[in-house]
Amino acid sequence: MFASPRTPTGSSRRPLGTPGSRISTAGRKSVVSSSTPGSTFFSPVRRSSLPARGTPSRSGQHSTVGEALNYDVQTFGVSLPVKVMEALTVAEDDDQLSAKLDQTGWCWMVCLERLLVWKTRQSQVTKLSVCKELQLPPSDFRYFADLVAVNSSGETTTAQSMTLLAATSEGTVRYWPSLAQEASYTELSIDFGGSLCNFVTAIKGGGFVLSSTKNQLVRLIPDSSGRIYHRVLQQGHGVLSGLGRRVSSLFGILSPALDVTLQCVLWDGESGCLYTLTSSSVNKWEVDETSERQIFSWESSRILKEHITDAIWGSERDYDVIKQRISIRFLDLQLIKKGLVILAAAWHLEDSPCLTYYCLITVQDEGYNMSDDLTIEVIRHSPSFQSEDEVECRFLCPESSSQAAFLYGEDFVFACSTGTGRGSLPQEAIAFSSPGDGILGAGCCMQLPVFFSRNSGLVAITAKENASILPEDVEESILSSVAEGGPQGSVWEPSVKMEMVSWEDKARLLKNAFLQFSRKDSLTAQQIVEELFPSAMDLQADVELDRAVSRIGLDLIDDYPASDPRWAESVPDEAAGFSHTSLILLHQLEDKMKAHSFYMDFLNQTGLLTQLGTSTVRDMPMATRFLLCEHAEKLSAAIVLKNYHSKLPELLNDVILKALKKINANIPDNLTAADVFFRQASQIDLVFECLLEKEEKVLKEKMVESVEWGQIVVDVNNILKDMLQAAVQHRQSILSLYGIGEHSEKDPEYIPWTASCGPGGVRPVIMQQHEIVLKRVYPQADSALRNILLEQLVALLDCFLDGYVSQLKSLDRQNAQERYDELEMEYTQKRSELLSPLLTLGQYQWAASLAEKYCDFDILVQLCDQTDNQSRLQRYMTKFADQNFSDFLFRWYIEKGKRGKLLSQPVAQHSQLAGFLQSHEHLSWLHEVNIQDYEKAHLTLQALASLESRYFAKKKTLLGLCKLAALASDMHDNALQEAVDGISEQEQFLLYQETLPKHLLEKKGFAREMMPVLSASQLIELYVCEENERANEYDFKKALDLLDYIHEEEEIDVDELKLEIFCKALQRDRWSSSDGQDDPVEAAKDSLFVKLLQKLLKEDILLKEFLPRVNDLLQCNKLEGLNSDPYFEFVLRANYEHYVQGQA
């Protein structure tokens, strides 16, 4: 059986299960040469002879010096000094030479007991370098360049100002205060108690640190007279200090607590810190002029072993067994801006063949501790393992701001990357293996990696200008695809008319431009792009550009793994994709991500990204740049899923089979379902619905008490949330690259795939999982499981709501307002449906976290109300002040009838409450009374009373309160009197309605407490109507008084109405005969009309002016026939004459 193939090359990016840890590794670079001419267009290269597993055949392409594919190997500086060349010439092959280069340009070479020191120069114009020859102290052990260091006693680096300290393995130290005086030196001996010295390191102030293999450190401090003082660096909690000429008296105190081996000592002059790398830890000291203090000791062996093992062997089926037998050795340490970089080697003796895997681990120094975030880059240099003693390798990082790294051994340099950036350099091995050659030492100078070759002297290695930044396997596929040849062939011909070229051929030519760009030939790439897709495009060209760009993007993420021999018989000949050479699924996905990143750089820098229009995605239009972002998001999610596949193979193998059945995918006999599924990253979302189907099956089949019953939900939740979070985090981390958030008026609505609807969509999946967790599992779970489920569910809901936010932002423009309002209503409803159950369960903190993030004010207010948490409420008022949270809260109080809480706001909210209550005057007066602003309360109540027409009783109450507020205010006397008089007048008017006869109201169907406010004309009508059977002169007098309350804007003829009142009064009596009385005055004295006249006389009303003219009465048709009765006319005229003239 073919078991999880693993090449000896590659890197890994695996989210680990350790809390707080994260492994994020950059993709890997193939070091195989360019594609062969016979490669099939966009199909994997068939390699039937490729071994089934883990052969060292792809560990890198080795070149002789100067023949590297992607790097230039050039002489560094001027010729070597004569003494150095002579020493190299006369040295025997077995003479153990070693050399080193300091960043100041000073070099030294150890040749037996001789030490040659010189400064390299970059220009031939300067005079030849002067070489100093110094004699090393006698020793029974081999001399090493690592036991020599130079330092400066001033600001210059001349021989006069440079000091040098050399040591032997036994601890004999020889110090030269100036290189200009070779014969003047000081010597002393330091006893490390049997341990051998291995490093001398220059530090600040012209001092040095001498270290032993057992991690014992002594600081050497020279004075101006050339003498050297020394003291032990404190380790752990021990206090090791003191000055003296010898340190043998400290023997015993220096004995390390652990059996460790020191691998590297590193000085950071910028921060004044000293680092050591041992076989088990990374240690840090702060060093100043007078003291040194150990800051931390980080247990790198314990922390990193699992990470390294997981990165290299994590995809193996028997990983749990393998990881217990992995051997790891830490080799070297360097410092870059991204953190400390550790070189480690790992091997598994039971592998066949057994290879040594080298990896670079980058971890950030946070001052007093090391970060939990790690980046692990597994290097493609994987030689066969011989013995642990031969696992020797060191490395350089020449530029602190770059991710370039150069591993080197006795006969090779391997160029690679630390994996801490978006791109990476080509990985390539450069051999120094010609007869008699080898690397004697190395160092960094002028931000270049410089190596001392026995045959070539000092050489610097730099990347070639045309070195491709693409993973080499991707480059091979592009070459094969553009060479496949369509109507235009593989070469771009400017003479060809672009309108005659199909979009498929344009896509092929665009790939060629991408290839030129990746080789740093930007001019050719730009020329091809401008010819293919000029900026002034017509609609047809616009469509072709989007089709070509999206097709290439899709091909990148759905590529077939060419180097995996199991695919050789399963790849369709017509498949159009990029061939990735990694045999590990996880590495394939990472290479695709890296290729996609370079593709986006290409589109951006050639200007194509801004020319993109739309593509059809899930039967809806989408901006093509957003589709490209979706490709990267799905790769991020696929990487997460693959890591879970290694941890939960039983669960995910079943789920992957279900997903493949849904799309009727064929699984060849020589491939696994995972191979087929992860190859097509664009379909990664198929797994979501299948996960829920599997979960449903387990919940039905397993007993509630079983471990599997609850664990399946936890596992499904973890997979869903981590995949979605990876996608969303990728989207948010590079918003500007894809232009997400910069929606133009012509962009269609943006629905991320993480917010897809319909069958199998992400939104329905999360809604269904929400129901499963809260309705089926949560009630049956114990407290520990409940906490886990809620935390997972909140993360899922976060992704759900984030999708709506992205969708709404894309519609936040004038021409989409209607759709925006529709979607916002849907969003508000869904948000409430998802968060309300959390409140019901009393999970206030979880509900608050989401409600705060997504501004669900209703949930926040309910939460504060249920918990009676006023301090939280006040915090929200401040936090969301620009979003009118206070207004929402006040409206909520009104809607819920909680007016007491509304009006009991703290003083800090009084101004906001007053502003809100301006549109709620029926409540604002209460607030004004509460803050004792009685004058404003009076005005508010006055306005309310004037507007009140629905309820008579309410208007009467408002007027009473209005008068009280006026009396309680600080108004001036005149203004107060005027206000009170105005209120009294209104109250007087209301009195007419209040005194309406009870029997009349009953007949009219009025309830006094529910009566509306009646107008003057309405009151007149009631007082004089026929239903008011008991009406007398007082009622009619009230009707006449009410005429004064009729305003001009009512458009009522007051004289006409007065005439009608008197007509009604006349109709109340019978006027047919005199009943034997000849005196008309006497005959009418008991009539209501006469009584009304007498009432008017008593009130001193001038009848001549007040009464309508008698002729107008007689001609009024309201009298209904009386005006044609001669007797009535006689009596009426006689009474008019009697009372009117009698008054005069």
Side-chain angles (χ1 to χ4, degrees), residues 377-389:
E377 180 80 357
V378 182
I379 307 304
R380 287 182 179 266
H381 176 63
S382 304
S384 296
F385 177 81
Q386 302 298 329
S387 69
E388 185 172 353
D389 293 337

PDB file of all heavy atoms in Angstrom, residues 377-389:
ATOM      1  N   GLU A 377       9.815  26.489   8.555  1.00  0.00           N
ATOM      2  CA  GLU A 377      10.086  26.271   7.138  1.00  0.00           C
ATOM      3  C   GLU A 377      10.950  25.033   6.998  1.00  0.00           C
ATOM      4  O   GLU A 377      12.109  24.995   7.442  1.00  0.00           O
ATOM      5  CB  GLU A 377      10.800  27.485   6.544  1.00  0.00           C
ATOM      6  CG  GLU A 377      11.119  27.360   5.090  1.00  0.00           C
ATOM      7  CD  GLU A 377       9.945  27.649   4.172  1.00  0.00           C
ATOM      8  OE1 GLU A 377       8.840  27.910   4.689  1.00  0.00           O
ATOM      9  OE2 GLU A 377      10.120  27.614   2.940  1.00  0.00           O
ATOM     10  N   VAL A 378      10.376  23.983   6.423  1.00  0.00           N
ATOM     11  CA  VAL A 378      11.136  22.750   6.192  1.00  0.00           C
ATOM     12  C   VAL A 378      11.910  22.914   4.888  1.00  0.00           C
ATOM     13  O   VAL A 378      11.320  23.170   3.839  1.00  0.00           O
ATOM     14  CB  VAL A 378      10.208  21.527   6.124  1.00  0.00           C
ATOM     15  CG1 VAL A 378      11.027  20.261   5.929  1.00  0.00           C
ATOM     16  CG2 VAL A 378       9.378  21.430   7.391  1.00  0.00           C
ATOM     17  N   ILE A 379      13.217  22.805   4.963  1.00  0.00           N
ATOM     18  CA  ILE A 379      14.086  23.084   3.826  1.00  0.00           C
ATOM     19  C   ILE A 379      14.176  21.871   2.903  1.00  0.00           C
ATOM     20  O   ILE A 379      14.112  20.718   3.347  1.00  0.00           O
ATOM     21  CB  ILE A 379      15.497  23.488   4.327  1.00  0.00           C
ATOM     22  CG1 ILE A 379      15.375  24.625   5.346  1.00  0.00           C
ATOM     23  CG2 ILE A 379      16.388  23.919   3.165  1.00  0.00           C
ATOM     24  CD1 ILE A 379      14.647  25.838   4.863  1.00  0.00           C
ATOM     25  N   ARG A 380      14.374  22.120   1.619  1.00  0.00           N
ATOM     26  CA  ARG A 380      14.437  21.035   0.639  1.00  0.00           C
ATOM     27  C   ARG A 380      15.793  20.315   0.648  1.00  0.00           C
ATOM     28  O   ARG A 380      16.005  19.405  -0.140  1.00  0.00           O
ATOM     29  CB  ARG A 380      14.165  21.578  -0.760  1.00  0.00           C
ATOM     30  CG  ARG A 380      12.701  21.954  -0.992  1.00  0.00           C
ATOM     31  CD  ARG A 380      12.509  22.428  -2.428  1.00  0.00           C
ATOM     32  NE  ARG A 380      11.111  22.783  -2.693  1.00  0.00           N
ATOM     33  CZ  ARG A 380      10.220  21.959  -3.211  1.00  0.00           C
ATOM     34  NH1 ARG A 380      10.580  20.726  -3.504  1.00  0.00           N
ATOM     35  NH2 ARG A 380       8.984  22.336  -3.438  1.00  0.00           N
ATOM     36  N   HIS A 381      16.681  20.749   1.480  1.00  0.00           N
ATOM     37  CA  HIS A 381      17.966  20.053   1.593  1.00  0.00           C
ATOM     38  C   HIS A 381      17.809  18.910   2.598  1.00  0.00           C
ATOM     39  O   HIS A 381      17.752  19.129   3.798  1.00  0.00           O
ATOM     40  CB  HIS A 381      19.040  21.038   2.060  1.00  0.00           C
ATOM     41  CG  HIS A 381      20.378  20.405   2.302  1.00  0.00           C
ATOM     42  ND1 HIS A 381      21.111  19.811   1.302  1.00  0.00           N
ATOM     43  CD2 HIS A 381      21.110  20.280   3.443  1.00  0.00           C
ATOM     44  CE1 HIS A 381      22.229  19.351   1.806  1.00  0.00           C
ATOM     45  NE2 HIS A 381      22.260  19.606   3.111  1.00  0.00           N
ATOM     46  N   SER A 382      17.723  17.684   2.089  1.00  0.00           N
ATOM     47  CA  SER A 382      17.481  16.529   2.957  1.00  0.00           C
ATOM     48  C   SER A 382      18.432  15.404   2.583  1.00  0.00           C
ATOM     49  O   SER A 382      18.070  14.461   1.876  1.00  0.00           O
ATOM     50  CB  SER A 382      16.023  16.053   2.814  1.00  0.00           C
ATOM     51  OG  SER A 382      15.136  17.110   3.090  1.00  0.00           O
ATOM     52  N   PRO A 383      19.674  15.489   3.042  1.00  0.00           N
ATOM     53  CA  PRO A 383      20.647  14.437   2.707  1.00  0.00           C
ATOM     54  C   PRO A 383      20.352  13.151   3.476  1.00  0.00           C
ATOM     55  O   PRO A 383      19.622  13.145   4.463  1.00  0.00           O
ATOM     56  CB  PRO A 383      21.977  15.054   3.150  1.00  0.00           C
ATOM     57  CG  PRO A 383      21.595  15.999   4.251  1.00  0.00           C
ATOM     58  CD  PRO A 383      20.249  16.551   3.876  1.00  0.00           C
ATOM     59  N   SER A 384      20.957  12.079   3.031  1.00  0.00           N
ATOM     60  CA  SER A 384      20.803  10.800   3.729  1.00  0.00           C
ATOM     61  C   SER A 384      21.464  10.891   5.101  1.00  0.00           C
ATOM     62  O   SER A 384      22.538  11.481   5.259  1.00  0.00           O
ATOM     63  CB  SER A 384      21.452   9.670   2.925  1.00  0.00           C
ATOM     64  OG  SER A 384      20.792   9.516   1.691  1.00  0.00           O
ATOM     65  N   PHE A 385      20.822  10.316   6.063  1.00  0.00           N
ATOM     66  CA  PHE A 385      21.366  10.319   7.427  1.00  0.00           C
ATOM     67  C   PHE A 385      22.439   9.248   7.543  1.00  0.00           C
ATOM     68  O   PHE A 385      22.212   8.088   7.193  1.00  0.00           O
ATOM     69  CB  PHE A 385      20.239  10.065   8.433  1.00  0.00           C
ATOM     70  CG  PHE A 385      20.716   9.986   9.858  1.00  0.00           C
ATOM     71  CD1 PHE A 385      20.951  11.142  10.582  1.00  0.00           C
ATOM     72  CD2 PHE A 385      20.935   8.755  10.471  1.00  0.00           C
ATOM     73  CE1 PHE A 385      21.396  11.079  11.899  1.00  0.00           C
ATOM     74  CE2 PHE A 385      21.382   8.677  11.782  1.00  0.00           C
ATOM     75  CZ  PHE A 385      21.610   9.852  12.507  1.00  0.00           C
ATOM     76  N   GLN A 386      23.613   9.664   8.057  1.00  0.00           N
ATOM     77  CA  GLN A 386      24.711   8.726   8.266  1.00  0.00           C
ATOM     78  C   GLN A 386      24.910   8.446   9.751  1.00  0.00           C
ATOM     79  O   GLN A 386      24.829   7.321  10.202  1.00  0.00           O
ATOM     80  CB  GLN A 386      26.001   9.288   7.652  1.00  0.00           C
ATOM     81  CG  GLN A 386      25.891   9.584   6.164  1.00  0.00           C
ATOM     82  CD  GLN A 386      25.606   8.341   5.336  1.00  0.00           C
ATOM     83  OE1 GLN A 386      26.027   7.229   5.688  1.00  0.00           O
ATOM     84  NE2 GLN A 386      24.869   8.518   4.232  1.00  0.00           N
ATOM     85  N   SER A 387      25.172   9.512  10.497  1.00  0.00           N
ATOM     86  CA  SER A 387      25.319   9.400  11.949  1.00  0.00           C
ATOM     87  C   SER A 387      25.040  10.767  12.544  1.00  0.00           C
ATOM     88  O   SER A 387      25.100  11.792  11.857  1.00  0.00           O
ATOM     89  CB  SER A 387      26.724   8.934  12.319  1.00  0.00           C
ATOM     90  OG  SER A 387      27.685   9.942  12.026  1.00  0.00           O
ATOM     91  N   GLU A 388      24.765  10.788  13.843  1.00  0.00           N
ATOM     92  CA  GLU A 388      24.449  12.053  14.488  1.00  0.00           C
ATOM     93  C   GLU A 388      25.627  13.003  14.465  1.00  0.00           C
ATOM     94  O   GLU A 388      25.458  14.225  14.370  1.00  0.00           O
ATOM     95  CB  GLU A 388      23.984  11.808  15.926  1.00  0.00           C
ATOM     96  CG  GLU A 388      23.513  13.080  16.635  1.00  0.00           C
ATOM     97  CD  GLU A 388      22.882  12.793  17.972  1.00  0.00           C
ATOM     98  OE1 GLU A 388      22.681  11.597  18.297  1.00  0.00           O
ATOM     99  OE2 GLU A 388      22.581  13.763  18.689  1.00  0.00           O
ATOM    100  N   ASP A 389      26.849  12.476  14.508  1.00  0.00           N
ATOM    101  CA  ASP A 389      28.034  13.333  14.487  1.00  0.00           C
ATOM    102  C   ASP A 389      28.166  14.073  13.163  1.00  0.00           C
ATOM    103  O   ASP A 389      28.801  15.131  13.099  1.00  0.00           O
ATOM    104  CB  ASP A 389      29.294  12.491  14.730  1.00  0.00           C
ATOM    105  CG  ASP A 389      29.330  11.930  16.148  1.00  0.00           C
ATOM    106  OD1 ASP A 389      28.661  12.527  17.024  1.00  0.00           O
ATOM    107  OD2 ASP A 389      30.010  10.907  16.378  1.00  0.00           O
TER     108      ASP A 389
END
